[in-house]
Amino acid sequence: MGLVWGIDRGPRDPDHEGGPVSRATLADVARLAGVSPSTVSLTFSGSGPVSAATRERVLTAAAELGYSGPDPLARSLRRGTSGVVGVITGGELAAHFRDPVAIRTLDGIADTLGAHDLGMLLIRVNNGGEGVDLATRAAMDAAIFLRSVDGADEILQALTRRGTPVVLMESALPGAASVTMTDEEGMAELGARVLALGHTRIAVVTLPWGRERRRGLRHGLDAAADAATYRFTRDRMTGLARAGVRPTAVYETCGSLVEEGFEAAKALLDVPPNERPTAIIALSDLLAAGVVLAARELGLSIPLDLSVTGFDGVDLPWLAPDVIDSVEQPVARKGQLAGEMAVAMMRGEPPASVELGVWPRAGTTLGPVPESRSSAEAG
Amino acid sequence: MGLVWGIDRGPRDPDHEGGPVSRATLADVARLAGVSPSTVSLTFSGSGPVSAATRERVLTAAAELGYSGPDPLARSLRRGTSGVVGVITGGELAAHFRDPVAIRTLDGIADTLGAHDLGMLLIRVNNGGEGVDLATRAAMDAAIFLRSVDGADEILQALTRRGTPVVLMESALPGAASVTMTDEEGMAELGARVLALGHTRIAVVTLPWGRERRRGLRHGLDAAADAATYRFTRDRMTGLARAGVRPTAVYETCGSLVEEGFEAAKALLDVPPNERPTAIIALSDLLAAGVVLAARELGLSIPLDLSVTGFDGVDLPWLAPDVIDSVEQPVARKGQLAGEMAVAMMRGEPPASVELGVWPRAGTTLGPVPESRSSAEAG
DNA sequence: TTGTAAGCGTTATCAG
DNA sequence: CTGATAACGCTTACAA
């Protein structure tokens, strides 16, 4: 092939003299089939009128040369699209895919992208800045930001300047689409339910407040809501405060894990009986499950001795017979929606913002509510 | 800019006359900075010698034009690489990301790819063939197949012809790298431990045998091992048979889920006490956990009334105080290894095949072994 | 240290 | 229905 000086693309078996040094291209197929490159292109894309005979000849030539369709890279450049949507994750998710909520969100995104025949480019950005480079250099037709990503600003800016549509989850920014949830309202409603039961000694087990992880007792809920930089944590604590919950103890954990909830409960319940909380509000279901397990171990009956609530609406079959009283989040829907927004923007539609509602879900760990107070009053 | 007839790339705000219709390119930056395109390229790639003054001028021009680095598509075409590794998943994983083993594998892959600044393109191929097209058309420098993928052959062929390196997990093929695990041996060892305890009435709770999902009792283990088309299922059952386990009952489930194990155990244990199995071997930890929960509910003491074993070595803190006797798999390592293989092949190294060992892990659900028999005799 | 030039492998347009 | 042509936006060997 007319290669005079060649391009260095690493070792390609140079002393192999019979076979082609580089892969067959569309032009090679055209030559062998005795047609023009455009005809070959049309044959493979299926988008143009090609006579059966010609198509046959092209396909034969392709098979002979071991040509398996247009090169994705060249096609992408020419068409200006890559067929790939970037999903950029940070924080916890970067280290482990373990959070069931994140997993379900990803699943929702994958649903939508799969249905549109789009690839999902997963980019983990960790605190060290690994991934930022990739996120700004990778080819993608749109990007979805999952949770708060630490190097987000830089990435966001690069993408925006390049005109790549961006969908933000759990945060909003002009120019970008966003999907958020009414965590605060949902938690306020759940808090109201707890208060309606007449509990006075209420403890709260929280998610991490910010990037640095510290485990232990904290003082006051309002201060906590202010101090927390993580949106989930802040919104949910604010919701509790708004509902009028004044906890006797607040315990910060290092993450949404069963073990963390277990430890927190052990600490909170290891006090004289008359000081012991009668209700523990956990900011996630996994934490709540840990609380339930700790209570079981201490011989406390749920919900008679202790009411427990969570957040997320995750399915925990192994906690049977208990089912956490929680706040249901349409997480998969959220992911699908984010995917749909990305697709819409790729088509040129303007960015939209959607807020999905969350709602309390009755379980077995809260106990019966004496008086029905379903709608929480704001204020 | 010199666009006369233009290319239709969808709506781009055509009546906006002041601003640039298309994004600024490297050439535009060069023109504004008064340097040649190659200089701009060198400036951004950082790979060539550029004087501080020139670099400054280029960066200023870029900022002015809102240019944020070379277009990924063009760069990819020119360099011949995309910086992306495809991870192709099928079967169960396609529908849900829920399997903890798969998740840990993905995590391992992500570790390695992240460290090499490579993107991870997740492609789900479902039974309907969705994703096959994408897998053959997407740009990737290497591909990793997770588990058995239904349309795999077609994808594999296309990738191979294109010269894309392929890493197979849990299967092997000439020309492709592969990483597998010694499931059969591991299970044989675990089976030997069960037999060493003197159990005679042993039941087995299996993973799905093949694509079609049927739940219920089956007859015989050898027949089962033959009938199973899913590799995990087949290998583990073969291992049991090899160890000499002759189960009194075999129960097929629809998936590795706690609920499935629970149901299976209920069915297996709902017989007259003198026919009841004294040991249940589950082919996954999640299934085993379901068995433990069912046994608890029936008031059976573990391991006194019933020995239980699993497979995978997954952490299940919520099952405390019980810890499943299981077979530990270095799953994350497996993922990392697959990533490393992909990277190596991208560098031109020949495909390698690695088999990772698995080993029994002692828990609390099997009971003490009277006589130590650590090495299983084959045959 | 910087500029020149030759593509990378396609596809969209338009003419035949 | 098919062919010629002109990009897509960038990188790199080599010359200056």
Side-chain angles (χ1 to χ4, degrees), chain B residues 82-102:
Chain B
S82 60
V84 164
V85 171
V87 174
I88 298 166
T89 74
E92 334 321 307
L93 196 65
H96 358 247
F97 276 85
R98 300 205 187 131
D99 180 358
V101 179

Side-chain angles (χ1 to χ4, degrees), chain B residues 90-92 125-129 148-153 207-215 227-231 233 252-255:
Chain B
E92 334 321 307
V125 176
N126 61 27
N127 295 346
S148 39
V149 175
D150 283 324
D153 292 345
L207 295 166
W209 293 11
R211 202 189 306 186
E212 70 278 20
R213 296 302 148 81
R214 297 162 312 180
R215 187 183 291 113
T229 57
Y230 275 8
R231 187 185 171 106
T233 311
E252 178 181 355
T253 66
C254 293

Side-chain angles (χ1 to χ4, degrees), chain B residues 8 34-36 38-39 49-51 54 77-78:
Chain B
D8 185 72
V35 297
S36 79
S38 36
T39 304
V50 178
S51 77
T54 312
L77 173 59
R78 182 58 241 238

